Amino acid sequence: MRPFTRFPLFRKTLLGLTVAAAAMSTTQAGEVEVLHWWTSGGEAQAVGVLKDLVEAEGHSWEDFAVAGGAGDSAMTVLKSRAMSGNPPSAAQINGPEIQEWGELGLLGNLDEVAEQGDWDALLPDVVADMMRYEGNYVAVPVNVHRVNWLWANPQVLEDAGVALPTSWDELFDAGEQLREAGYVPLAHGGQPWQDATVFESLVLSYGGSDFYRQVFVDLDIEAIESDTMIEVLETFKRLRELMDEGMPGRDWNLTTSMVINGDAAMQLMGDWAKGEFSAAGMEAGVDYLCSPVPGTETDFIFNIDSFAMFRVTEPENQEAQQTLARLVLEPEFQAAFNKVKGSIPARPDLDMGEFDSCAQQSLEDFEQARDGDTLVPSMAHRMAMNSDVQGAFFDIITNYFNAASMTAEQAAERLARAASAAG
């Protein structure tokens, strides 16, 4: 596929950046090997933006893409490379895992480029804090994703005679009419991280932001075994009634395509799904709808994509790393990248006038949630807990979702045991 063919304004912007960067480049050429898991259509276009800008400054980009939503496969490859003493120079690492890699003494230092770019003043505290290890910047944020989104095809809803649901009861009622009209009510890909993505939105919806933190950040046993959690788990399994039999193992972007193509009405997924709608030439608010997950209108589950820098010894490769980090937070890249990716910029000072209505709503909701203390880190996307606990939660959530014989009470008890073991 030829990149950026659907984005003429974007091509013009990128061309201007390329010419300017080439004129400014006086440093010795280095190389950055970049590990990431952005391989779907919209994601591949988005990462191509950064690659072109790095190469325009005279450095080379060695792409190390590992397919697999949420990065599980990529992290397995990264651990193997690191254990053999040959990590890439930059890797897509999110949340607490940045701290885990920092503890191993493998990450480089970005304080110089952070000081030059005034990152402390530029970035929201919740973003900046995750980029530091022991007070030093070791990673650079690319964007902020909102996880708790409901996406819908308005033509499918209209054909079935239903409105976009604003509650879980409305969602189940709409599901019956959508089935009768010949549509899959809720598209879903049966992979552990996708199951967890839906599950954490339900936890937020039923319990609110404080309860969410108790469960996923504090690992509070009482909250995990509470009546609220039982209600969450029961609703979670009931959602299977709205899904199709082909969901096991299906990738998230193929699931989004079901909504795009009119085979399914809705999908619960983070705003990276919007990159797929955009890549299909669809317009927000016209060809597809976005709405916060029912019951989470004032809350915001965030996932921050970031690049952590591993220690390199060659001066020219260090310079390439610094260039990569600087380019990531420059306004031109932040705007161009996030329009394609579906997320909002990591820096909140940009003019959102050229972003679509979903992105504008996302930034507004992010700021309101930040001010109202209803901004919560994603468990499903490596922001809330360490990787070992997350892995245990993934196993339990997916096993429960697919096991007809496991009760909500049994699942809650297993989650509590996993949390207790982590303590």
Side-chain angles (χ1 to χ4, degrees), residues 75 78-79 82 93-107 129-134 138-139 308-310 379 381-391 422:
M75 288 303 97
L78 178 60
K79 290 173 183 176
I93 303 175
N94 296 347
E97 288 191 354
I98 294 174
Q99 308 303 310
E100 295 176 24
W101 286 103
E103 290 172 1
L104 296 174
L106 296 177
L107 298 183
D129 289 346
M130 288 202 169
M131 301 301 111
R132 300 189 190 100
Y133 173 69
E134 293 188 344
V138 295
M309 304 299 169
F310 284 79
M379 175 275 295
H381 298 274
R382 306 176 183 278
M383 304 303 294
M385 56 180 60
N386 70 46
S387 55
D388 291 339
V389 182
Q390 185 208 44

Side-chain angles (χ1 to χ4, degrees), residues 293-308:
V293 168
T296 70
E297 291 78 10
T298 62
D299 306 303
F300 193 113
I301 303 177
F302 69 87
N303 171 32
I304 303 169
D305 284 324
S306 56
F307 283 118

Side-chain angles (χ1 to χ4, degrees), residues 42 45-47 65 88 134 164 170-171 216 255 259 288 326 346 354 391 419:
Q45 290 175 342
V47 77
E134 293 188 344
L164 184 67
E170 289 181 8
L171 181 69
F216 295 130
T255 304
V259 181
Y288 68 94
R326 171 176 56 80
E354 293 186 358

